[in-house]
Amino acid sequence: MTSTPDVLSCIQPTADLHVGNYFGAVANWVKLQQTHRCIYGIVDFHAITMPYDPVALRKNTRNMVIDLLACGVDPEKSILFVQSLVPEHCELCWILSSQCSFGDLSRMTQFKDKSQKLQSESGDDYISAGLFFYPVLQAADILAYRASYVPVGKDQEQHLELSRGIARRFNQRFNTDLFPEPKPLFTQTPRIMSLAQPESKMSKSAGPKHYVGLFEEEASIRKKIKSAVTDTGLPAAEETMSPGVANLFEILRACQADIAADQLQTDYQAGQLKYAQLKGAVGDALVALTEPFRRRRQALVGDEAMIDQQIRQLSEQARQIAADTLNRVRKLTGFPKSQP
Ligand code: TRP
């Protein structure tokens, strides 16, 4: 297949997805498959721009493929690829880098945030040029497939704008309409907060009490929800909901347990909600949601060689599209064809 997809999105290969990642991104990917031709990538080349361990990277990349398949990314409907298995991304990144100004890259707030964080946390002032260049590779990820829509979080808005600018400049400079200007798809997704510190987003870096892993065992899920921060005592009817309680309701609704959520919300408003009840319901809903994921994951793990072969096959489909784009790009930009 060399027809281009409508929707493209990518994720970095971090260790183990948590429910915040699932509701914020992956659930939407799975849903979009029903209505659009989608291509999804695991961007391992992006992961080396911050300090990293090669053994962990290799493992996380393989795991992320399994996790996404277990969540319902369906290779019958969509293409799933690993970025480093599609070398065209780097080639396109290099060509596009000359259609992107140094000034534009210097304005990327994610680079500023990440480099400041690195300096303050490690006390090391080594900032890789890769971190600075990261958005050009992201533009190449998108433009290699000439995708029109990119589901991303608001934090990626500036990178998407840069990708559009690169597409526009390329098209003008080489007098072509090869690249559509990719539009972000900001779907309303539930924003799940940390269980232990419900003022901040759920993340793994803060420690195990802060998140629920998507493939965690039932007992562990229930235990974590039980110890989630709420507030003290029964709520008074007129009080505004504390962030911890609001987050539990948000999780419940994200799991589509609306009937239970409505009932508990009525109790809350009447000042009669016992948090143990709410937590019980959230535990039930999360266990029910993730049970099939755990089951599918179990069936997939174990045979690394088989998994690696599957990753290669899946990425090969992506490569056909990217190679077609690259041949057109090479022609337009004055390079010989790389493949016969
Ligand atoms: N920068 C994105 C993130 O941190 C990941 C990413 C890389 C991406 N390439 C992409 C997202 C292409 C969408 C499209 O989340």
Side-chain angles (χ1 to χ4, degrees):
M1 158 180 150
T2 49
S3 73
T4 57
D6 313 310
V7 168
L8 170 141
S9 198
C10 300
I11 192 166
Q12 287 209 30
T14 50
D16 305 329
L17 291 169
H18 57 66
V19 298
N21 304 130
Y22 177 75
F23 290 122
V26 180
N28 193 32
W29 288 15
V30 173
K31 200 161 137 218
L32 281 164
Q33 300 179 116
Q34 293 165 8
T35 46
H36 295 78
R37 283 174 308 148
C38 302
I39 183 162
Y40 298 125
I42 296 160
V43 287
D44 49 352
F45 275 147
H46 276 101
I48 67 172
T49 57
M50 297 283 268
Y52 81 105
D53 169 26
V55 177
L57 174 63
R58 185 74 190 84
K59 185 163 156 259
N60 291 344
T61 302
R62 195 182 277 129
N63 265 332
M64 188 60 93
V65 175
I66 298 171
D67 289 359
L68 292 175
L69 292 174
C71 287
V73 169
D74 180 357
E76 301 285 321
K77 295 196 184 103
S78 312
I79 297 177
L80 179 64
F81 69 86
V82 170
Q83 184 186 35
S84 65
L85 291 175
V86 188
E88 284 78 6
H89 287 237
C90 287
E91 192 180 332
L92 185 58
C93 173
W94 180 249
I95 295 177
L96 295 179
S97 71
S98 293
Q99 304 307 320
C100 172
S101 76
F102 180 81
D104 282 346
L105 271 186
S106 310
R107 279 184 282 280
M108 294 294 115
T109 54
Q110 193 171 76
F111 171 73
K112 292 183 204 169
D113 294 345
K114 282 194 179 176
S115 51
Q116 265 164 21
K117 204 162 160 232
L118 263 183
Q119 268 163 337
S120 63
E121 273 172 14
S122 62
D124 185 350
D125 54 12
Y126 180 80
I127 305 295
S128 75
L131 189 61
F132 182 73
F133 221 66
Y134 178 113
V136 189
L137 183 57
Q138 180 162 354
D141 296 337
I142 301 167
L143 299 181
Y145 303 97
R146 289 167 275 155
S148 304
Y149 296 102
V150 186
V152 280
K154 277 275 175 194
D155 63 324
Q156 294 300 314
E157 193 166 14
Q158 204 187 19
H159 287 166
L160 251 289
E161 184 60 46
L162 185 88
S163 299
R164 274 204 296 285
I166 293 176
R168 203 176 310 132
R169 179 179 275 271
F170 184 98
N171 286 348
Q172 274 164 9
R173 170 68 183 78
F174 299 105
N175 195 21
T176 172
D177 57 4
L178 180 66
F179 293 129
E181 289 182 25
K183 294 177 206 54
L185 261 189
F186 299 125
T187 316
Q188 264 290 326
T189 53
R191 198 173 137 83
I192 308 298
M193 312 304 276
S194 151
L195 298 176
Q197 203 178 5
E199 296 77 19
S200 20
K201 228 170 117 173
M202 182 176 279
S203 95
K204 282 193 47 202
S205 50
K209 341 189 270 273
H210 292 261
Y211 71 94
V212 174
L214 203 52
F215 302 97
E216 246 176 81
E217 291 301 324
E218 173 169 351
S220 167
I221 296 179
R222 290 190 194 277
K223 196 164 152 229
K224 282 190 178 175
I225 296 297
K226 233 180 224 161
S227 43
V229 168
T230 48
D231 50 43
T232 45
L234 283 178
E238 69 279 5
E239 266 176 31
T240 51
M241 209 179 260
S242 69
V245 176
N247 190 36
L248 292 174
F249 272 109
E250 182 80 4
I251 299 176
L252 202 52
R253 295 205 183 269
C255 294
Q256 296 182 325
D258 284 310
I259 297 173
D262 288 345
Q263 181 57 52
L264 292 162
Q265 196 124 15
T266 309
D267 293 349
Y268 177 87
Q269 257 129 25
Q272 287 171 349
L273 176 64
K274 294 209 175 54
Y275 292 146
Q277 258 179 303
L278 174 61
K279 288 177 169 181
V282 172
D284 288 346
L286 278 177
V287 167
L289 172 84
T290 56
E291 199 277 326
F293 303 161
R294 274 192 301 281
R295 208 167 3 94
R296 283 204 291 263
R297 194 173 198 293
Q298 282 282 306
L300 288 165
V301 290
D303 186 348
E304 287 191 0
M306 189 274 290
I307 293 162
D308 286 350
Q309 200 197 346
Q310 196 177 6
I311 299 171
R312 253 170 229 291
Q313 274 170 3
L314 294 173
S315 303
E316 193 48 44
Q317 293 176 40
R319 198 166 179 197
Q320 283 180 27
I321 303 175
D324 175 58
T325 303
L326 255 299
N327 268 330
R328 295 177 196 222
V329 166
R330 282 177 156 266
K331 190 162 179 215
L332 288 162
T333 52
F335 295 104
K337 219 172 165 184
S338 70
Q339 285 170 354

